[in-house]
């Protein structure tokens, strides 16, 4: 089965948690899920693109933690799609359990003028182990929280408590991830 890793990139010089800009990416066996066709021609004023996607990294990591908690606790049924909508126009990560243990992770960008398109592999997605994905999210989210707490951010520190609570919920859900498999409705 494929190995999955969730990673993030942050910009420097942060004063408030709202300044926490950057992107996230998901790798499956070292290959990015968020790949674009003709990436060399893709222009962006965001230094982390196209390797990482999104802009409001604090929002995106919080969103992927919520998705992982639902997946780890078995709340998301087989074939029920969970989505992480990145900043407008930045794309969507989709997560869909396809069996009790397997999850398809894909990336797409809503259609529009001058919008880059994703590779067919990214749009179709990659099969990974559900609990392995959730553990990777947990590890990355803890690393992220430790890093931003160490930055000495002056404003919005109370938002870190929300992250800590969400991470506690994910940690608890992961304790029984293998036993809390998604239900199948036919």
């Amino acid at each position: 089965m494929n190995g999955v890793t969730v990673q993030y990139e942050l910009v420097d010089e942060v004063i408030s948690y709202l300044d926490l800009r950057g992107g996230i990416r998901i790798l499956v066996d070292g290959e990015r899920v968020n790949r674009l066709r003709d990436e060399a021609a893709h222009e962006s004023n965001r230094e982390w693109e196209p390797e990482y996607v999104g802009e409001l990294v604090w929002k995106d990591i919080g969103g992927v933690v919520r998705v992982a908690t639902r997946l780890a606790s078995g709340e998301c049924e087989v074939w029920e799609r969970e989505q992480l909508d990145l900043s407008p126009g930045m794309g969507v990560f989709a997560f869909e359990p396809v069996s009790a243990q397997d999850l398809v992770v894909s990336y797409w960008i809503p259609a529009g003028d001058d919008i880059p398109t994703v590779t067919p592999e990214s749009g179709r997605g990659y099969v990974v182990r559900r609990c392995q994905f959730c553990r990777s999210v947990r590890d990355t989210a803890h690393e992220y929280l430790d890093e931003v707490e160490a930055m000495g951010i002056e404003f919005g520190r109370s938002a870190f408590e929300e992250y800590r609570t969400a991470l506690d919920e994910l940690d608890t859900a992961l304790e029984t991830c293998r036993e809390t498999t998604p239900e199948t409705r036919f």
Side-chain angles (χ1 to χ4, degrees), residues 115-129:
I115 300 287
T117 57
V118 300
T119 64
E121 298 83 8
S122 293
R124 281 192 304 269
Y126 297 82
V127 178
V128 300
R129 290 291 190 190

Side-chain angles (χ1 to χ4, degrees), residues 8-157:
Y8 67 93
E9 180 74 21
L10 282 173
V11 297
D12 295 330
E13 300 186 27
V14 174
I15 296 172
S16 164
Y17 83 98
L18 295 173
D19 295 332
L20 291 168
R21 293 182 35 245
I24 63 173
R25 70 179 176 182
I26 300 172
L27 301 169
V28 177
D29 291 339
E31 188 170 306
R32 273 186 299 120
V33 172
N34 54 290
R35 289 182 299 135
L36 303 176
R37 292 183 185 198
D38 195 18
E39 284 187 348
H42 178 68
E43 293 182 24
S44 174
N45 60 351
R46 295 174 196 87
E47 65 234 30
W48 55 86
E49 285 186 336
E51 288 290 318
Y52 296 84
V53 290
E55 183 169 13
L56 305 174
V57 69
W58 56 270
K59 175 183 132 323
D60 297 336
I61 289 180
V64 78
V65 165
R66 283 187 291 283
V67 167
T69 302
R70 284 186 46 77
L71 291 167
S73 65
E75 290 178 37
C76 185
E77 297 176 7
V78 172
W79 302 113
E80 180 182 348
R81 178 180 286 190
E82 290 287 320
Q83 288 186 187
L84 174 61
D85 295 325
L86 303 167
S87 305
M90 302 280 184
V92 174
F93 279 112
F95 311 94
E96 189 170 6
V98 293
S99 73
Q101 300 302 324
D102 297 328
L103 173 72
V104 171
V105 179
S106 60
Y107 176 75
W108 50 277
I109 299 173
D113 294 338
D114 299 324
I115 300 287
T117 57
V118 300
T119 64
E121 298 83 8
S122 293
R124 281 192 304 269
Y126 297 82
V127 178
V128 300
R129 290 291 190 190
R130 179 179 58 91
C131 295
Q132 181 186 17
F133 168 76
C134 296
R135 282 190 296 275
S136 181
V137 169
R138 176 204 54 208
D139 295 346
T140 299
H142 277 287
E143 177 185 326
Y144 166 80
L145 187 57
D146 291 345
E147 183 176 349
V148 297
E149 284 183 327
M151 288 179 165
I153 293 175
E154 298 172 22
F155 305 106
R157 292 195 62 82

